[in-house]
Amino acid sequence: FQPTEDTLNYLIYLLISKWSGLTKQLFNRYHSIVVKVYSPLSFRHAQNIVESLISDLPRSLEVSVLEEPIVNEEVLSTIDFDILVTTQTLFLNIEQPIIFMYRTRSSHQYDELQYLIRKIAEQKEKNTREKFMNKKIPHLQDKKSKFNVIT
């Protein structure tokens, strides 16, 4: 089966018009931000912070407990995450930002975390857009050459 352009256009129309929540799901898939929470006090304490963050922050976040008992640069280099939230002051030379979260919540900490989330989301969106624009799509390449478009 070789779909025609009309068939592809109709399928795209169906997806966009009938798929409830498509935009939100696409955004979350391609722009999710991974937040790891570390607490040297206890695993349960870290879980409580995770639950608090999940209830207060956007759904495009993947928040989970960092299950490593000891955190250092070597350990963190093996883990994929965007932001580290911790209840202990850490002096680490890592690429990702570290947010110190006191035992009680404060608006200052959440403001800083919200700012970082927005900044990282914007960067991920930009990176995804650039990656998509640089991707060679055979179907579109054929169309461009047909209309003498120079890429």
Side-chain angles (χ1 to χ4, degrees):
F1 171 70
Q2 191 69 296
T4 65
E5 188 167 344
D6 288 339
T7 305
L8 291 174
N9 287 336
Y10 182 68
L11 287 173
I12 291 170
Y13 163 77
L14 283 176
L15 282 174
I16 292 172
S17 64
K18 304 296 182 189
W19 190 334
S20 178
L22 174 63
T23 305
K24 183 177 180 182
Q25 290 176 15
L26 287 173
F27 180 85
N28 289 345
R29 175 169 179 175
Y30 292 106
H31 299 102
S32 69
I33 296 168
V34 179
V35 177
K36 293 292 186 181
V37 176
Y38 172 70
S39 175
L41 301 176
S42 71
F43 183 79
R44 186 66 202 142
H45 182 246
Q47 283 181 318
N48 288 336
I49 293 171
V50 165
E51 291 167 6
S52 174
L53 292 174
I54 288 172
S55 69
D56 291 343
L57 297 172
R59 302 239 184 265
S60 60
L61 293 178
E62 295 177 30
V63 185
S64 61
V65 174
L66 185 64
E67 297 184 16
E68 304 298 325
I70 298 173
V71 174
N72 57 37
E73 293 164 11
E74 184 179 339
V75 168
L76 293 176
S77 70
T78 64
I79 301 170
D80 183 27
F81 67 98
D82 296 302
I83 300 172
L84 177 63
V85 174
T86 177
T87 59
Q88 175 184 11
T89 303
L90 297 175
F91 298 104
L92 299 171
N93 186 17
I94 61 173
E95 181 180 317
Q96 301 88 340
I98 301 172
I99 300 288
F100 179 70
M101 187 81 51
Y102 301 101
R103 290 186 178 137
T104 59
R105 296 171 9 169
S106 77
S107 62
H108 171 70
Q109 296 160 337
Y110 273 83
D111 289 346
E112 185 177 355
L113 187 55
Q114 290 277 11
Y115 169 77
L116 285 172
I117 289 167
R118 278 192 306 276
K119 186 176 166 184
I120 291 169
E122 288 169 4
Q123 186 61 47
K124 284 189 170 204
E125 182 178 351
K126 179 182 174 189
N127 292 347
T128 302
R129 189 179 314 116
E130 288 173 359
K131 184 178 176 182
F132 178 77
M133 296 304 281
N134 293 331
K135 192 174 190 177
K136 303 289 184 207
I137 303 172
H139 179 71
L140 294 178
Q141 295 300 321
D142 292 344
K143 294 285 185 202
K144 288 179 184 176
S145 60
K146 181 178 176 181
F147 296 110
N148 296 321
V149 175
I150 300 171
T151 57

